[in-house]
């Protein structure tokens, strides 16, 4: 994970890609496939559903490539599509299961049951607390710290006013710090 505030080198504009939708699709999938997959997995916690969402995201991108004006970076545009597909598929449903380490979710790689079990045992305490936050807070923290999006890019990707994004980040940080300091939990072990 990059430190907050560092700018990602993946924020290319539309002119960096082929004007032909089929060629652009191939370039988009190669450059942003893992990011879209991780984002879908973050929302769903289910690898198979995340794969379906990734396919739907790239299908929508292909269909609207010629009408994409380029007002945002291509990465922000794709993330917006992915977030909308996730919301369409998930509704307001929250995670029923804690997702694995997002950095280990790769296109075409199957995580074994043993790896998944070890991963759950090694999951960080911070992630445990983070996943207890309301979904809008989780979403803001994920996009800001994991995908290194600015508050403006998060606002575009989630169709939320930028002030609301900043407010969610602030409240999420406060809540996360308070919960970790208090060590409150349902299991009595501070997790």
């Amino acid at each position: 994970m990059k430190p907050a505030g560092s700018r990602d080198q993946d924020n290319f504009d539309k002119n960096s890609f082929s004007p032909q939708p089929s060629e652009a699709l191939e370039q988009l999938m190669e450059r942003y496939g893992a990011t879209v997959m991780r984002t879908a997995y973050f929302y769903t916690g289910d690898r198979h559903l995340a794969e379906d969402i990734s396919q739907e995201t790239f299908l929508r991108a292909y269909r609207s490539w010629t009408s994409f004006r380029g007002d945002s970076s291509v990465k922000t545009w794709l993330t917006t599509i992915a977030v909308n597909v996730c919301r369409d598929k998930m509704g307001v449903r929250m995670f029923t299961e804690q997702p694995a380490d997002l950095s280990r979710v790769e296109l075409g790689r199957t995580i074994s049951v043993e790896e998944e079990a070890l991963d759950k045992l090694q999951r960080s305490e911070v992630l445990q607390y983070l996943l207890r936050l309301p979904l809008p807070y989780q979403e803001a923290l994920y996009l800001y710290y994991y995908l290194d999006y600015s508050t403006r890019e998060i606002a575009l990707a989630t169709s939320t006013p930028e002030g609301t994004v900043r407010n969610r980040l602030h409240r999420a940080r406060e809540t996360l710090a308070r919960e970790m300091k208090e060590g409150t939990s349902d299991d009595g072990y501070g997790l």
Side-chain angles (χ1 to χ4, degrees), residues 18-40:
S18 172
Q20 299 300 317
S22 58
E23 292 174 15
L25 177 65
E26 190 173 320
Q27 294 168 336
L28 293 171
M29 290 177 71
E30 184 176 316
R31 187 164 289 154
Y32 299 115
T35 299
V36 169
M37 179 68 172
R38 286 183 186 119
T39 300

mmCIF file with all atom_site columns, all heavy atoms in Angstrom, residues 18-40:
data_model
loop_
_atom_site.group_PDB
_atom_site.id
_atom_site.type_symbol
_atom_site.label_atom_id
_atom_site.label_alt_id
_atom_site.label_comp_id
_atom_site.label_asym_id
_atom_site.label_entity_id
_atom_site.label_seq_id
_atom_site.pdbx_PDB_ins_code
_atom_site.Cartn_x
_atom_site.Cartn_y
_atom_site.Cartn_z
_atom_site.occupancy
_atom_site.B_iso_or_equiv
_atom_site.pdbx_formal_charge
_atom_site.auth_seq_id
_atom_site.auth_comp_id
_atom_site.auth_asym_id
_atom_site.auth_atom_id
_atom_site.pdbx_PDB_model_num
ATOM 1   N N   . SER A 1 18 ? -6.148  3.175   -27.074 1.00 0.00 ? 18 SER A N   1
ATOM 2   C CA  . SER A 1 18 ? -6.620  3.131   -28.451 1.00 0.00 ? 18 SER A CA  1
ATOM 3   C C   . SER A 1 18 ? -8.033  3.709   -28.550 1.00 0.00 ? 18 SER A C   1
ATOM 4   O O   . SER A 1 18 ? -8.852  3.502   -27.664 1.00 0.00 ? 18 SER A O   1
ATOM 5   C CB  . SER A 1 18 ? -6.641  1.675   -28.934 1.00 0.00 ? 18 SER A CB  1
ATOM 6   O OG  . SER A 1 18 ? -7.266  1.584   -30.198 1.00 0.00 ? 18 SER A OG  1
ATOM 7   N N   . PRO A 1 19 ? -8.325  4.400   -29.646 1.00 0.00 ? 19 PRO A N   1
ATOM 8   C CA  . PRO A 1 19 ? -9.691  4.898   -29.829 1.00 0.00 ? 19 PRO A CA  1
ATOM 9   C C   . PRO A 1 19 ? -10.675 3.777   -30.194 1.00 0.00 ? 19 PRO A C   1
ATOM 10  O O   . PRO A 1 19 ? -11.883 3.945   -30.059 1.00 0.00 ? 19 PRO A O   1
ATOM 11  C CB  . PRO A 1 19 ? -9.560  5.917   -30.967 1.00 0.00 ? 19 PRO A CB  1
ATOM 12  C CG  . PRO A 1 19 ? -8.306  5.554   -31.677 1.00 0.00 ? 19 PRO A CG  1
ATOM 13  C CD  . PRO A 1 19 ? -7.412  4.879   -30.676 1.00 0.00 ? 19 PRO A CD  1
ATOM 14  N N   . GLN A 1 20 ? -10.156 2.650   -30.641 1.00 0.00 ? 20 GLN A N   1
ATOM 15  C CA  . GLN A 1 20 ? -10.994 1.509   -30.993 1.00 0.00 ? 20 GLN A CA  1
ATOM 16  C C   . GLN A 1 20 ? -11.412 0.765   -29.730 1.00 0.00 ? 20 GLN A C   1
ATOM 17  O O   . GLN A 1 20 ? -10.546 0.338   -28.956 1.00 0.00 ? 20 GLN A O   1
ATOM 18  C CB  . GLN A 1 20 ? -10.245 0.544   -31.924 1.00 0.00 ? 20 GLN A CB  1
ATOM 19  C CG  . GLN A 1 20 ? -9.822  1.162   -33.241 1.00 0.00 ? 20 GLN A CG  1
ATOM 20  C CD  . GLN A 1 20 ? -11.022 1.662   -34.015 1.00 0.00 ? 20 GLN A CD  1
ATOM 21  O OE1 . GLN A 1 20 ? -12.052 1.007   -34.099 1.00 0.00 ? 20 GLN A OE1 1
ATOM 22  N NE2 . GLN A 1 20 ? -10.888 2.861   -34.579 1.00 0.00 ? 20 GLN A NE2 1
ATOM 23  N N   . PRO A 1 21 ? -12.716 0.598   -29.499 1.00 0.00 ? 21 PRO A N   1
ATOM 24  C CA  . PRO A 1 21 ? -13.178 -0.041  -28.258 1.00 0.00 ? 21 PRO A CA  1
ATOM 25  C C   . PRO A 1 21 ? -12.562 -1.412  -27.978 1.00 0.00 ? 21 PRO A C   1
ATOM 26  O O   . PRO A 1 21 ? -12.188 -1.696  -26.843 1.00 0.00 ? 21 PRO A O   1
ATOM 27  C CB  . PRO A 1 21 ? -14.691 -0.136  -28.451 1.00 0.00 ? 21 PRO A CB  1
ATOM 28  C CG  . PRO A 1 21 ? -15.011 0.958   -29.409 1.00 0.00 ? 21 PRO A CG  1
ATOM 29  C CD  . PRO A 1 21 ? -13.824 1.053   -30.327 1.00 0.00 ? 21 PRO A CD  1
ATOM 30  N N   . SER A 1 22 ? -12.423 -2.246  -29.009 1.00 0.00 ? 22 SER A N   1
ATOM 31  C CA  . SER A 1 22 ? -11.899 -3.594  -28.765 1.00 0.00 ? 22 SER A CA  1
ATOM 32  C C   . SER A 1 22 ? -10.430 -3.553  -28.343 1.00 0.00 ? 22 SER A C   1
ATOM 33  O O   . SER A 1 22 ? -10.013 -4.291  -27.449 1.00 0.00 ? 22 SER A O   1
ATOM 34  C CB  . SER A 1 22 ? -12.079 -4.481  -30.002 1.00 0.00 ? 22 SER A CB  1
ATOM 35  O OG  . SER A 1 22 ? -11.437 -3.901  -31.118 1.00 0.00 ? 22 SER A OG  1
ATOM 36  N N   . GLU A 1 23 ? -9.635  -2.681  -28.970 1.00 0.00 ? 23 GLU A N   1
ATOM 37  C CA  . GLU A 1 23 ? -8.236  -2.547  -28.586 1.00 0.00 ? 23 GLU A CA  1
ATOM 38  C C   . GLU A 1 23 ? -8.120  -1.886  -27.208 1.00 0.00 ? 23 GLU A C   1
ATOM 39  O O   . GLU A 1 23 ? -7.280  -2.288  -26.388 1.00 0.00 ? 23 GLU A O   1
ATOM 40  C CB  . GLU A 1 23 ? -7.478  -1.727  -29.632 1.00 0.00 ? 23 GLU A CB  1
ATOM 41  C CG  . GLU A 1 23 ? -7.344  -2.433  -30.972 1.00 0.00 ? 23 GLU A CG  1
ATOM 42  C CD  . GLU A 1 23 ? -6.721  -1.544  -32.036 1.00 0.00 ? 23 GLU A CD  1
ATOM 43  O OE1 . GLU A 1 23 ? -6.137  -0.490  -31.699 1.00 0.00 ? 23 GLU A OE1 1
ATOM 44  O OE2 . GLU A 1 23 ? -6.824  -1.911  -33.213 1.00 0.00 ? 23 GLU A OE2 1
ATOM 45  N N   . ALA A 1 24 ? -8.937  -0.877  -26.962 1.00 0.00 ? 24 ALA A N   1
ATOM 46  C CA  . ALA A 1 24 ? -8.922  -0.203  -25.666 1.00 0.00 ? 24 ALA A CA  1
ATOM 47  C C   . ALA A 1 24 ? -9.304  -1.172  -24.556 1.00 0.00 ? 24 ALA A C   1
ATOM 48  O O   . ALA A 1 24 ? -8.696  -1.147  -23.478 1.00 0.00 ? 24 ALA A O   1
ATOM 49  C CB  . ALA A 1 24 ? -9.866  1.000   -25.675 1.00 0.00 ? 24 ALA A CB  1
ATOM 50  N N   . LEU A 1 25 ? -10.297 -2.030  -24.823 1.00 0.00 ? 25 LEU A N   1
ATOM 51  C CA  . LEU A 1 25 ? -10.728 -3.005  -23.819 1.00 0.00 ? 25 LEU A CA  1
ATOM 52  C C   . LEU A 1 25 ? -9.571  -3.894  -23.393 1.00 0.00 ? 25 LEU A C   1
ATOM 53  O O   . LEU A 1 25 ? -9.351  -4.115  -22.198 1.00 0.00 ? 25 LEU A O   1
ATOM 54  C CB  . LEU A 1 25 ? -11.880 -3.853  -24.356 1.00 0.00 ? 25 LEU A CB  1
ATOM 55  C CG  . LEU A 1 25 ? -12.365 -4.964  -23.416 1.00 0.00 ? 25 LEU A CG  1
ATOM 56  C CD1 . LEU A 1 25 ? -12.966 -4.370  -22.143 1.00 0.00 ? 25 LEU A CD1 1
ATOM 57  C CD2 . LEU A 1 25 ? -13.372 -5.840  -24.126 1.00 0.00 ? 25 LEU A CD2 1
ATOM 58  N N   . GLU A 1 26 ? -8.821  -4.376  -24.351 1.00 0.00 ? 26 GLU A N   1
ATOM 59  C CA  . GLU A 1 26 ? -7.677  -5.226  -24.034 1.00 0.00 ? 26 GLU A CA  1
ATOM 60  C C   . GLU A 1 26 ? -6.660  -4.466  -23.176 1.00 0.00 ? 26 GLU A C   1
ATOM 61  O O   . GLU A 1 26 ? -6.143  -4.996  -22.182 1.00 0.00 ? 26 GLU A O   1
ATOM 62  C CB  . GLU A 1 26 ? -7.020  -5.707  -25.330 1.00 0.00 ? 26 GLU A CB  1
ATOM 63  C CG  . GLU A 1 26 ? -5.984  -6.773  -25.122 1.00 0.00 ? 26 GLU A CG  1
ATOM 64  C CD  . GLU A 1 26 ? -5.487  -7.336  -26.454 1.00 0.00 ? 26 GLU A CD  1
ATOM 65  O OE1 . GLU A 1 26 ? -6.292  -7.529  -27.376 1.00 0.00 ? 26 GLU A OE1 1
ATOM 66  O OE2 . GLU A 1 26 ? -4.261  -7.568  -26.529 1.00 0.00 ? 26 GLU A OE2 1
ATOM 67  N N   . GLN A 1 27 ? -6.389  -3.217  -23.536 1.00 0.00 ? 27 GLN A N   1
ATOM 68  C CA  . GLN A 1 27 ? -5.445  -2.397  -22.776 1.00 0.00 ? 27 GLN A CA  1
ATOM 69  C C   . GLN A 1 27 ? -5.970  -2.121  -21.367 1.00 0.00 ? 27 GLN A C   1
ATOM 70  O O   . GLN A 1 27 ? -5.215  -2.171  -20.390 1.00 0.00 ? 27 GLN A O   1
ATOM 71  C CB  . GLN A 1 27 ? -5.195  -1.076  -23.508 1.00 0.00 ? 27 GLN A CB  1
ATOM 72  C CG  . GLN A 1 27 ? -4.487  -1.246  -24.835 1.00 0.00 ? 27 GLN A CG  1
ATOM 73  C CD  . GLN A 1 27 ? -4.501  0.038   -25.672 1.00 0.00 ? 27 GLN A CD  1
ATOM 74  O OE1 . GLN A 1 27 ? -5.369  0.891   -25.503 1.00 0.00 ? 27 GLN A OE1 1
ATOM 75  N NE2 . GLN A 1 27 ? -3.545  0.150   -26.578 1.00 0.00 ? 27 GLN A NE2 1
ATOM 76  N N   . LEU A 1 28 ? -7.263  -1.826  -21.265 1.00 0.00 ? 28 LEU A N   1
ATOM 77  C CA  . LEU A 1 28 ? -7.872  -1.546  -19.961 1.00 0.00 ? 28 LEU A CA  1
ATOM 78  C C   . LEU A 1 28 ? -7.804  -2.769  -19.055 1.00 0.00 ? 28 LEU A C   1
ATOM 79  O O   . LEU A 1 28 ? -7.480  -2.651  -17.868 1.00 0.00 ? 28 LEU A O   1
ATOM 80  C CB  . LEU A 1 28 ? -9.326  -1.104  -20.125 1.00 0.00 ? 28 LEU A CB  1
ATOM 81  C CG  . LEU A 1 28 ? -9.569  0.233   -20.800 1.00 0.00 ? 28 LEU A CG  1
ATOM 82  C CD1 . LEU A 1 28 ? -11.061 0.426   -21.077 1.00 0.00 ? 28 LEU A CD1 1
ATOM 83  C CD2 . LEU A 1 28 ? -9.020  1.373   -19.981 1.00 0.00 ? 28 LEU A CD2 1
ATOM 84  N N   . MET A 1 29 ? -8.128  -3.925  -19.612 1.00 0.00 ? 29 MET A N   1
ATOM 85  C CA  . MET A 1 29 ? -8.115  -5.152  -18.807 1.00 0.00 ? 29 MET A CA  1
ATOM 86  C C   . MET A 1 29 ? -6.702  -5.473  -18.325 1.00 0.00 ? 29 MET A C   1
ATOM 87  O O   . MET A 1 29 ? -6.514  -5.906  -17.187 1.00 0.00 ? 29 MET A O   1
ATOM 88  C CB  . MET A 1 29 ? -8.709  -6.303  -19.601 1.00 0.00 ? 29 MET A CB  1
ATOM 89  C CG  . MET A 1 29 ? -10.204 -6.159  -19.802 1.00 0.00 ? 29 MET A CG  1
ATOM 90  S SD  . MET A 1 29 ? -10.922 -7.458  -20.809 1.00 0.00 ? 29 MET A SD  1
ATOM 91  C CE  . MET A 1 29 ? -10.808 -8.829  -19.677 1.00 0.00 ? 29 MET A CE  1
ATOM 92  N N   . GLU A 1 30 ? -5.730  -5.249  -19.194 1.00 0.00 ? 30 GLU A N   1
ATOM 93  C CA  . GLU A 1 30 ? -4.348  -5.527  -18.805 1.00 0.00 ? 30 GLU A CA  1
ATOM 94  C C   . GLU A 1 30 ? -3.880  -4.566  -17.715 1.00 0.00 ? 30 GLU A C   1
ATOM 95  O O   . GLU A 1 30 ? -3.257  -4.967  -16.739 1.00 0.00 ? 30 GLU A O   1
ATOM 96  C CB  . GLU A 1 30 ? -3.435  -5.404  -20.027 1.00 0.00 ? 30 GLU A CB  1
ATOM 97  C CG  . GLU A 1 30 ? -1.999  -5.768  -19.739 1.00 0.00 ? 30 GLU A CG  1
ATOM 98  C CD  . GLU A 1 30 ? -1.145  -5.718  -20.998 1.00 0.00 ? 30 GLU A CD  1
ATOM 99  O OE1 . GLU A 1 30 ? -1.604  -6.220  -22.043 1.00 0.00 ? 30 GLU A OE1 1
ATOM 100 O OE2 . GLU A 1 30 ? -0.029  -5.177  -20.921 1.00 0.00 ? 30 GLU A OE2 1
ATOM 101 N N   . ARG A 1 31 ? -4.204  -3.305  -17.869 1.00 0.00 ? 31 ARG A N   1
ATOM 102 C CA  . ARG A 1 31 ? -3.707  -2.288  -16.928 1.00 0.00 ? 31 ARG A CA  1
ATOM 103 C C   . ARG A 1 31 ? -4.512  -2.246  -15.628 1.00 0.00 ? 31 ARG A C   1
ATOM 104 O O   . ARG A 1 31 ? -3.955  -2.042  -14.557 1.00 0.00 ? 31 ARG A O   1
ATOM 105 C CB  . ARG A 1 31 ? -3.736  -0.922  -17.591 1.00 0.00 ? 31 ARG A CB  1
ATOM 106 C CG  . ARG A 1 31 ? -3.074  0.132   -16.714 1.00 0.00 ? 31 ARG A CG  1
ATOM 107 C CD  . ARG A 1 31 ? -2.738  1.385   -17.456 1.00 0.00 ? 31 ARG A CD  1
ATOM 108 N NE  . ARG A 1 31 ? -1.644  1.140   -18.373 1.00 0.00 ? 31 ARG A NE  1
ATOM 109 C CZ  . ARG A 1 31 ? -1.434  1.836   -19.485 1.00 0.00 ? 31 ARG A CZ  1
ATOM 110 N NH1 . ARG A 1 31 ? -2.228  2.815   -19.810 1.00 0.00 ? 31 ARG A NH1 1
ATOM 111 N NH2 . ARG A 1 31 ? -0.418  1.563   -20.263 1.00 0.00 ? 31 ARG A NH2 1
ATOM 112 N N   . TYR A 1 32 ? -5.840  -2.414  -15.715 1.00 0.00 ? 32 TYR A N   1
ATOM 113 C CA  . TYR A 1 32 ? -6.693  -2.199  -14.546 1.00 0.00 ? 32 TYR A CA  1
ATOM 114 C C   . TYR A 1 32 ? -7.489  -3.429  -14.100 1.00 0.00 ? 32 TYR A C   1
ATOM 115 O O   . TYR A 1 32 ? -8.303  -3.328  -13.195 1.00 0.00 ? 32 TYR A O   1
ATOM 116 C CB  . TYR A 1 32 ? -7.684  -1.055  -14.820 1.00 0.00 ? 32 TYR A CB  1
ATOM 117 C CG  . TYR A 1 32 ? -6.993  0.250   -15.110 1.00 0.00 ? 32 TYR A CG  1
ATOM 118 C CD1 . TYR A 1 32 ? -7.111  0.853   -16.350 1.00 0.00 ? 32 TYR A CD1 1
ATOM 119 C CD2 . TYR A 1 32 ? -6.226  0.877   -14.133 1.00 0.00 ? 32 TYR A CD2 1
ATOM 120 C CE1 . TYR A 1 32 ? -6.476  2.056   -16.617 1.00 0.00 ? 32 TYR A CE1 1
ATOM 121 C CE2 . TYR A 1 32 ? -5.589  2.079   -14.396 1.00 0.00 ? 32 TYR A CE2 1
ATOM 122 C CZ  . TYR A 1 32 ? -5.718  2.662   -15.645 1.00 0.00 ? 32 TYR A CZ  1
ATOM 123 O OH  . TYR A 1 32 ? -5.095  3.841   -15.904 1.00 0.00 ? 32 TYR A OH  1
ATOM 124 N N   . GLY A 1 33 ? -7.252  -4.563  -14.705 1.00 0.00 ? 33 GLY A N   1
ATOM 125 C CA  . GLY A 1 33 ? -8.004  -5.761  -14.351 1.00 0.00 ? 33 GLY A CA  1
ATOM 126 C C   . GLY A 1 33 ? -7.914  -6.123  -12.881 1.00 0.00 ? 33 GLY A C   1
ATOM 127 O O   . GLY A 1 33 ? -8.919  -6.406  -12.226 1.00 0.00 ? 33 GLY A O   1
ATOM 128 N N   . ALA A 1 34 ? -6.703  -6.098  -12.338 1.00 0.00 ? 34 ALA A N   1
ATOM 129 C CA  . ALA A 1 34 ? -6.518  -6.458  -10.930 1.00 0.00 ? 34 ALA A CA  1
ATOM 130 C C   . ALA A 1 34 ? -7.184  -5.433  -10.014 1.00 0.00 ? 34 ALA A C   1
ATOM 131 O O   . ALA A 1 34 ? -7.780  -5.793  -8.995  1.00 0.00 ? 34 ALA A O   1
ATOM 132 C CB  . ALA A 1 34 ? -5.027  -6.578  -10.603 1.00 0.00 ? 34 ALA A CB  1
ATOM 133 N N   . THR A 1 35 ? -7.114  -4.154  -10.361 1.00 0.00 ? 35 THR A N   1
ATOM 134 C CA  . THR A 1 35 ? -7.736  -3.107  -9.540  1.00 0.00 ? 35 THR A CA  1
ATOM 135 C C   . THR A 1 35 ? -9.251  -3.270  -9.517  1.00 0.00 ? 35 THR A C   1
ATOM 136 O O   . THR A 1 35 ? -9.878  -3.170  -8.447  1.00 0.00 ? 35 THR A O   1
ATOM 137 C CB  . THR A 1 35 ? -7.370  -1.706  -10.087 1.00 0.00 ? 35 THR A CB  1
ATOM 138 O OG1 . THR A 1 35 ? -5.951  -1.563  -10.017 1.00 0.00 ? 35 THR A OG1 1
ATOM 139 C CG2 . THR A 1 35 ? -8.042  -0.606  -9.293  1.00 0.00 ? 35 THR A CG2 1
ATOM 140 N N   . VAL A 1 36 ? -9.845  -3.541  -10.676 1.00 0.00 ? 36 VAL A N   1
ATOM 141 C CA  . VAL A 1 36 ? -11.294 -3.728  -10.743 1.00 0.00 ? 36 VAL A CA  1
ATOM 142 C C   . VAL A 1 36 ? -11.696 -4.968  -9.949  1.00 0.00 ? 36 VAL A C   1
ATOM 143 O O   . VAL A 1 36 ? -12.669 -4.948  -9.191  1.00 0.00 ? 36 VAL A O   1
ATOM 144 C CB  . VAL A 1 36 ? -11.776 -3.808  -12.214 1.00 0.00 ? 36 VAL A CB  1
ATOM 145 C CG1 . VAL A 1 36 ? -13.223 -4.264  -12.304 1.00 0.00 ? 36 VAL A CG1 1
ATOM 146 C CG2 . VAL A 1 36 ? -11.597 -2.458  -12.901 1.00 0.00 ? 36 VAL A CG2 1
ATOM 147 N N   . MET A 1 37 ? -10.917 -6.039  -10.091 1.00 0.00 ? 37 MET A N   1
ATOM 148 C CA  . MET A 1 37 ? -11.210 -7.279  -9.374  1.00 0.00 ? 37 MET A CA  1
ATOM 149 C C   . MET A 1 37 ? -11.130 -7.065  -7.858  1.00 0.00 ? 37 MET A C   1
ATOM 150 O O   . MET A 1 37 ? -12.003 -7.497  -7.106  1.00 0.00 ? 37 MET A O   1
ATOM 151 C CB  . MET A 1 37 ? -10.221 -8.362  -9.806  1.00 0.00 ? 37 MET A CB  1
ATOM 152 C CG  . MET A 1 37 ? -10.407 -9.673  -9.119  1.00 0.00 ? 37 MET A CG  1
ATOM 153 S SD  . MET A 1 37 ? -11.937 -10.462 -9.616  1.00 0.00 ? 37 MET A SD  1
ATOM 154 C CE  . MET A 1 37 ? -11.710 -12.034 -8.841  1.00 0.00 ? 37 MET A CE  1
ATOM 155 N N   . ARG A 1 38 ? -10.102 -6.369  -7.401  1.00 0.00 ? 38 ARG A N   1
ATOM 156 C CA  . ARG A 1 38 ? -9.953  -6.111  -5.959  1.00 0.00 ? 38 ARG A CA  1
ATOM 157 C C   . ARG A 1 38 ? -11.089 -5.239  -5.434  1.00 0.00 ? 38 ARG A C   1
ATOM 158 O O   . ARG A 1 38 ? -11.581 -5.454  -4.329  1.00 0.00 ? 38 ARG A O   1
ATOM 159 C CB  . ARG A 1 38 ? -8.613  -5.445  -5.673  1.00 0.00 ? 38 ARG A CB  1
ATOM 160 C CG  . ARG A 1 38 ? -7.449  -6.386  -5.781  1.00 0.00 ? 38 ARG A CG  1
ATOM 161 C CD  . ARG A 1 38 ? -6.151  -5.688  -5.404  1.00 0.00 ? 38 ARG A CD  1
ATOM 162 N NE  . ARG A 1 38 ? -5.034  -6.566  -5.647  1.00 0.00 ? 38 ARG A NE  1
ATOM 163 C CZ  . ARG A 1 38 ? -4.039  -6.302  -6.487  1.00 0.00 ? 38 ARG A CZ  1
ATOM 164 N NH1 . ARG A 1 38 ? -4.006  -5.178  -7.143  1.00 0.00 ? 38 ARG A NH1 1
ATOM 165 N NH2 . ARG A 1 38 ? -3.074  -7.169  -6.655  1.00 0.00 ? 38 ARG A NH2 1
ATOM 166 N N   . THR A 1 39 ? -11.474 -4.259  -6.225  1.00 0.00 ? 39 THR A N   1
ATOM 167 C CA  . THR A 1 39 ? -12.575 -3.388  -5.811  1.00 0.00 ? 39 THR A CA  1
ATOM 168 C C   . THR A 1 39 ? -13.860 -4.195  -5.692  1.00 0.00 ? 39 THR A C   1
ATOM 169 O O   . THR A 1 39 ? -14.592 -4.075  -4.702  1.00 0.00 ? 39 THR A O   1
ATOM 170 C CB  . THR A 1 39 ? -12.752 -2.225  -6.812  1.00 0.00 ? 39 THR A CB  1
ATOM 171 O OG1 . THR A 1 39 ? -11.528 -1.472  -6.840  1.00 0.00 ? 39 THR A OG1 1
ATOM 172 C CG2 . THR A 1 39 ? -13.907 -1.323  -6.420  1.00 0.00 ? 39 THR A CG2 1
ATOM 173 N N   . ALA A 1 40 ? -14.139 -5.031  -6.676  1.00 0.00 ? 40 ALA A N   1
ATOM 174 C CA  . ALA A 1 40 ? -15.340 -5.868  -6.631  1.00 0.00 ? 40 ALA A CA  1
ATOM 175 C C   . ALA A 1 40 ? -15.282 -6.824  -5.447  1.00 0.00 ? 40 ALA A C   1
ATOM 176 O O   . ALA A 1 40 ? -16.283 -7.042  -4.757  1.00 0.00 ? 40 ALA A O   1
ATOM 177 C CB  . ALA A 1 40 ? -15.489 -6.636  -7.940  1.00 0.00 ? 40 ALA A CB  1
#
